[in-house]
Amino acid sequence: MEASNHVKYRQLISRCADLPPTPVAIAHPCDLSSLSAAIDAAREGLIQPILVGPQARIRELAASNNLDISAFEIVDADHSHDSAAKAVALIRSGRAEILMKGSLHTDELMGAVVRREVGLRTARRVSHCFVMDVPNHDTPLIVTDAAVNIAPTLEDKVDICQNAIDLAHALGIDDVRVAILSAMETLNSKVPSTIEAAALCKMADRGQITGARIDGPLALDNAINMESAKIKKINSQVAGRANVLLVPDLEAGNMLAKSLTFLAGADSAGIVLGARVPIILTSRADSVLARLASCAVAVLVARYRRQAEAAKAG
């Protein structure tokens, strides 16, 4: 594993050490980045990969790069759309508990996920979370949604928020503190995100969102910095201590996540929630550690779901 000061990601990975490898359907691992990610995660004992894609192409890629995939099952597929459909089918049949994006476009994979009859839909809105390891910040930061929902409605944000809260619990965060972000911490009818933030807080008060302390609107500074919260005289159990940041829209979330990555040296592990199983979306720009962390996050979410289902059944 590469040298890194990202202790929080290493802690996530170490939490999976005593768990058996989780079966993962990897859709179209037909470039070096995605195939290497599968091999690295398997070597760490995180996952048991099932490679879904054109078999001859995958074997040729492995051979030309001296990669050993002899221990992995390969499900042959004709092209990227077929890879996505067959990977989803493996999930539906119970043969895999996690879906992972290979070298196909995200839209292709998510198109197979949300198909009504043969996809992986649930009653929840599908949403994306970045679990960000920010140097010099005490805890991981969950940022949502920066990749799937472009302009979420208030109703969408209820699911986006609940998905993030459930993720935090799956990662072992007992005290989940959600900041509903805007450009300011006061209500302003000309800034719709401040009104939606207030509505989400009231919905949490009435039990429509559960499992966390929620406050908003909060600006980014007073959401994560205690001194800023004190200066603004914000009396809150969340302000200055938030570990989940719910952004107004995809543009704001994408800019926030990339600012943390490229200006603050953060790594970002990405996962999609709200479907039947967690979905790993990695990028070719991700470090090896970030890819492993994404797999670890998905493994912990899969375990959390198994435990929740067992509790219901028992």
Side-chain angles (χ1 to χ4, degrees):
M1 197 183 298
E2 66 189 28
S4 171
N5 63 349
H6 294 301
V7 176
K8 294 179 281 293
Y9 276 180
R10 294 183 180 281
Q11 290 171 341
L12 279 178
I13 294 166
S14 68
R15 290 193 64 207
C16 302
D18 295 330
L19 301 176
T22 304
V24 177
I26 305 174
H28 212 68
C30 294
D31 67 358
L32 183 57
S33 173
S34 58
L35 188 58
S36 296
I39 293 170
D40 289 339
R43 187 181 296 123
E44 286 288 326
L46 293 168
I47 69 171
Q48 175 190 329
I50 304 173
L51 309 179
V52 186
Q55 184 167 183
R57 186 173 166 188
I58 293 171
R59 292 194 184 281
E60 181 181 352
L61 175 65
S64 62
N65 289 279
N66 295 315
L67 299 176
D68 182 7
I69 58 171
S70 59
F72 304 155
E73 179 183 355
I74 301 177
V75 174
D76 193 29
D78 295 332
H79 44 69
S80 56
H81 282 88
D82 192 34
S83 298
K86 287 180 175 175
V88 167
L90 286 173
I91 301 291
R92 289 179 62 91
S93 70
R95 293 198 55 218
E97 293 185 64
I98 297 170
L99 180 64
M100 184 173 179
K101 174 181 173 289
S103 57
L104 75 176
H105 291 295
T106 299
D107 287 350
E108 290 180 87
L109 183 64
M110 295 309 296
V113 168
V114 301
R115 286 180 66 184
R116 291 194 178 277
E117 300 302 322
V118 293
L120 303 174
R121 283 173 174 259
T122 68
R124 289 265 187 97
R125 179 88 179 175
V126 170
S127 63
H128 182 275
C129 287
F130 278 124
V131 182
M132 306 209 67
D133 187 346
V134 184
N136 302 317
H137 194 77
D138 292 341
T139 60
L141 284 174
I142 296 174
V143 177
T144 191
D145 180 338
V148 172
N149 292 282
I150 298 171
T153 64
L154 175 62
E155 289 74 19
D156 295 336
K157 288 180 180 179
V158 173
D159 283 347
I160 292 169
C161 188
Q162 192 66 64
N163 285 342
I165 292 167
D166 292 349
L167 170 61
H169 285 295
L171 299 184
I173 301 172
D174 295 324
D175 186 9
V176 185
R177 302 179 295 273
V178 181
I180 314 296
L181 295 185
S182 184
M184 60 197 71
E185 63 280 345
T186 54
L187 294 180
N188 186 328
S189 62
K190 295 179 181 179
V191 184
S193 60
T194 66
I195 306 302
E196 290 188 349
L200 289 167
C201 291
K202 182 51 66 177
M203 294 170 91
D205 288 345
R206 300 288 165 84
Q208 292 171 267
I209 304 170
T210 60
R213 292 187 274 185
I214 300 174
D215 198 6
L218 291 170
L220 178 62
D221 57 345
N222 48 57
I224 61 173
N225 183 273
M226 189 64 74
E227 187 62 28
S228 295
K230 288 178 180 177
I231 290 170
K232 291 291 183 71
K233 295 182 171 60
I234 302 173
N235 182 19
S236 165
Q237 295 180 320
V238 173
R241 305 171 61 235
N243 46 30
V244 176
L245 304 177
L246 195 151
V247 299
D249 54 33
L250 182 143
E251 291 172 312
N254 192 275
M255 292 175 195
L256 172 58
K258 287 181 177 174
S259 295
L260 290 171
T261 298
F262 290 98
L263 295 177
D267 265 332
S268 55
I271 188 168
V272 172
L273 304 159
R276 288 192 190 183
V277 297
I279 303 167
I280 304 170
L281 296 184
T282 56
S283 166
R284 283 173 292 182
D286 289 343
S287 68
V288 173
L289 186 61
R291 291 177 194 168
L292 291 175
S294 293
C295 291
V297 167
V299 167
L300 292 171
V301 169
R303 181 185 68 168
Y304 181 77
R305 291 188 173 194
R306 283 196 303 271
Q307 291 172 338
E309 289 171 3
K312 285 182 183 178

